Amino acid sequence: MGGSTRVLTLGERPDNELYQLALQVAMEPLVWPLLNKQGIELIVRRDDRIDAELCGNKFYKLFFNIQAAKNAGYTRVASFGGAYSNHLHALAAAGYRYGLSTVGLIRGEQSAHLSPTLEDARRWGMTLCFLPRALYRQQGSTGLETYVRERYGDVCLIPEGGANPEGCRGATVIGRAIEVQLEGAYQQVCMPCGTGTTLAGVAAGLPADKIAVGVSVLKGAGNLGLGIERAYCAVASSDTHGASWRLVSGYHGGGYGKKLPSNLRNFWREFELETGLQLDPVYTLKMFYAIAGLAQGRYWPRGTRLVVIHTGGLQGRRGFEAQIDW
Ligand SMILES: *Cc1c(COP(=O)(O)O)cnc(C)c1O
C-alpha cells in the first residue's frame, strides 16, 4: 500500500510512542480574513496528515485499541460504521498493516456499488458484513455479539467510532502535545464531534487553564454531553486536572451523512478557495462553518489564539465532491 513512512509495531511500544508522533504534527497558522479581521488567530493542527492511510483522530483512537487487542491475543477485530465511515477505513488499514484480520459491520443493506471507502477496506482485506438497520441498532447487546461471534469466531469488538476508554486515552495525547508544541500560548482548542470521544480525551489531556470546544455534527445530540463527561472522568488524571470542555450544537447541516444544504456547499467551496485548506464534508466542514458562525456572534474576544484540530476524514470527499461545483 505504500505512502507511509512511520510504521509502528503496535503492542510493543509504550504510550510515549504515540506522544512522540503527536509532537511532530504540523501546527499551521491559517489565513482566513473572516476571523483574522476580528483579531482572532487560528492555528490548524494537521492531524489529517499524521499518517497516509490511518488518518486523523482515528489514528489516536485506534492506537490503544489495536494494542489492547494484540496484547489480549486476538487475531481478528471487528467494528461498526456506515458505508463512508472513516473509522472502518482506518481500522481496515490498521489491520492490514499490523497483521490483524478485520471485519466491518456495516449499517444497512449492501447497495449495487461499494462506496470508495468500502472499496479501500476490502482491498486491505476487511471482511464486509452488512447488517440490516434494526440489527445494527442493537450494538452493545449480547444478541448482536453472539451473531457476530457465530459468524466470525472469537473477535475483539471495538465500538463504533472507537468510542471506548482506549480510544479516549489515545485522544488525550493530542491535548498533551498541543500544550507542549505551543508552549501554552493559546486559549482554546476546537474540534468536530461525533461520539465526543476525541473531545473528552483532548480536554483531559490539556491543562486546566485551557478550554476545549467541540462542534457536534449530529442532529439531536441528546445525551452526548453525559457520555463526554463520563469518558473525560475515566481518563483524566488527578495530577493534571484537565481543561473544561464545551459542546456547540446547531451546526449539523441537516444531520450526519445527509446531502449537504446549499449554504454548506457554498461555504465549502469558498473556504477552500480562500484558505487552500481541504475539508471533509461530514466533520471538519461543519466545524469551520460553526467557527464562522460563532465568530460572527463575537464568541471569542479579540486577541484569542484558537487551535483548530483538522481531524482528517478526507477519504470521505470521494462521492461528495460531485455535490460541489468546484
Ligand atoms: C470520527 C471523526 C470525528 C469524530 O470523532 P469523535 O471522537 O467520535 O467525536 C471527527 N472528525 C473526523 C474527521 C472523524 O473521522
Side-chain angles (χ1 to χ4, degrees):
M1 70 192 181
S4 176
T5 48
R6 303 184 192 112
V7 176
L8 302 176
T9 48
L10 293 178
E12 295 148 27
R13 309 286 182 131
D15 262 57
N16 202 34
E17 185 76 15
L18 184 58
Y19 180 58
Q20 293 306 327
L21 286 176
L23 287 177
Q24 292 164 34
V25 171
M27 306 282 271
E28 298 174 347
L30 183 74
V31 179
W32 188 15
L34 187 73
L35 274 277
N36 304 144
K37 72 176 188 231
Q38 283 196 23
I40 301 166
E41 193 185 338
L42 273 88
I43 298 160
V44 181
R45 177 175 172 84
R46 300 300 304 270
D47 279 315
D48 57 312
R49 297 229 178 112
I50 191 166
D51 188 277
E53 285 100 13
L54 269 126
C55 100
N57 63 339
K58 302 304 182 284
F59 185 88
Y60 298 89
K61 293 207 285 181
L62 284 173
F63 189 90
F64 295 115
N65 270 298
I66 299 282
Q67 198 173 70
K70 284 209 145 188
N71 289 345
Y74 284 105
T75 56
R76 177 173 281 175
V77 291
S79 194
F80 302 86
Y84 291 87
S85 165
N86 295 327
H87 168 64
L88 288 183
H89 193 262
L91 182 67
Y96 181 85
R97 192 183 298 171
Y98 303 122
L100 285 165
S101 82
T102 54
V103 179
L105 303 161
I106 299 143
R107 180 178 57 238
E109 309 289 343
Q110 180 162 14
S111 54
H113 297 284
L114 283 182
S115 64
T117 306
L118 295 182
E119 277 292 355
D120 285 349
R122 194 175 58 177
R123 197 159 41 79
W124 286 320
M126 179 174 260
T127 301
L128 306 181
C129 172
F130 292 84
L131 298 176
R133 279 160 205 271
L135 189 58
Y136 188 88
R137 274 196 290 274
Q138 292 171 32
Q139 260 178 80
S141 74
T142 47
L144 183 52
E145 252 185 57
T146 308
Y147 176 95
V148 173
R149 290 191 204 288
E150 271 169 4
R151 277 161 188 76
Y152 303 106
D154 191 23
V155 298
C156 174
L157 268 173
I158 298 172
E160 184 172 23
N164 62 4
E166 285 77 19
C168 194
R169 187 177 148 216
T172 63
V173 173
I174 302 174
R176 285 162 52 206
I178 290 171
E179 177 68 13
V180 170
Q181 285 173 285
L182 296 181
E183 299 176 338
Y186 62 100
Q187 288 78 41
Q188 301 196 9
V189 179
C190 190
M191 76 215 76
C193 288
T195 65
T197 310
T198 305
L199 174 62
V202 170
L206 290 169
D209 63 332
K210 302 302 192 301
I211 296 172
V213 182
V215 175
S216 174
V217 304
L218 303 175
K219 197 171 170 178
N223 30 25
L224 187 55
L226 187 61
I228 293 169
E229 190 58 27
R230 283 208 184 109
Y232 179 96
C233 292
V235 295
S237 66
S238 50
D239 52 312
T240 58
H241 298 295
S244 53
W245 58 267
R246 297 172 183 169
L247 191 60
V248 174
S249 54
Y251 291 95
H252 54 72
Y256 185 87
K258 291 284 185 303
K259 186 171 163 38
L260 291 173
S262 61
N263 56 342
L264 269 174
R265 278 183 280 144
N266 293 338
F267 176 84
W268 193 6
R269 186 184 54 235
E270 280 159 22
F271 179 88
E272 291 198 356
L273 283 173
E274 198 171 28
T275 66
L277 183 68
Q278 284 204 331
L279 305 178
D280 84 292
V282 182
Y283 292 101
T284 51
L285 167 61
K286 291 171 184 173
M287 169 183 61
F288 275 102
Y289 189 67
I291 290 173
L294 291 171
Q296 267 152 5
R298 300 286 184 268
Y299 187 77
W300 292 287
R302 187 164 276 280
T304 298
R305 208 164 182 227
L306 177 66
V307 179
V308 181
I309 303 178
H310 195 314
T311 48
L314 297 179
Q315 68 85 19
R317 287 169 69 94
R318 299 169 298 177
F320 268 88
E321 280 172 329
Q323 288 189 24
I324 308 291
D325 178 18
W326 301 100

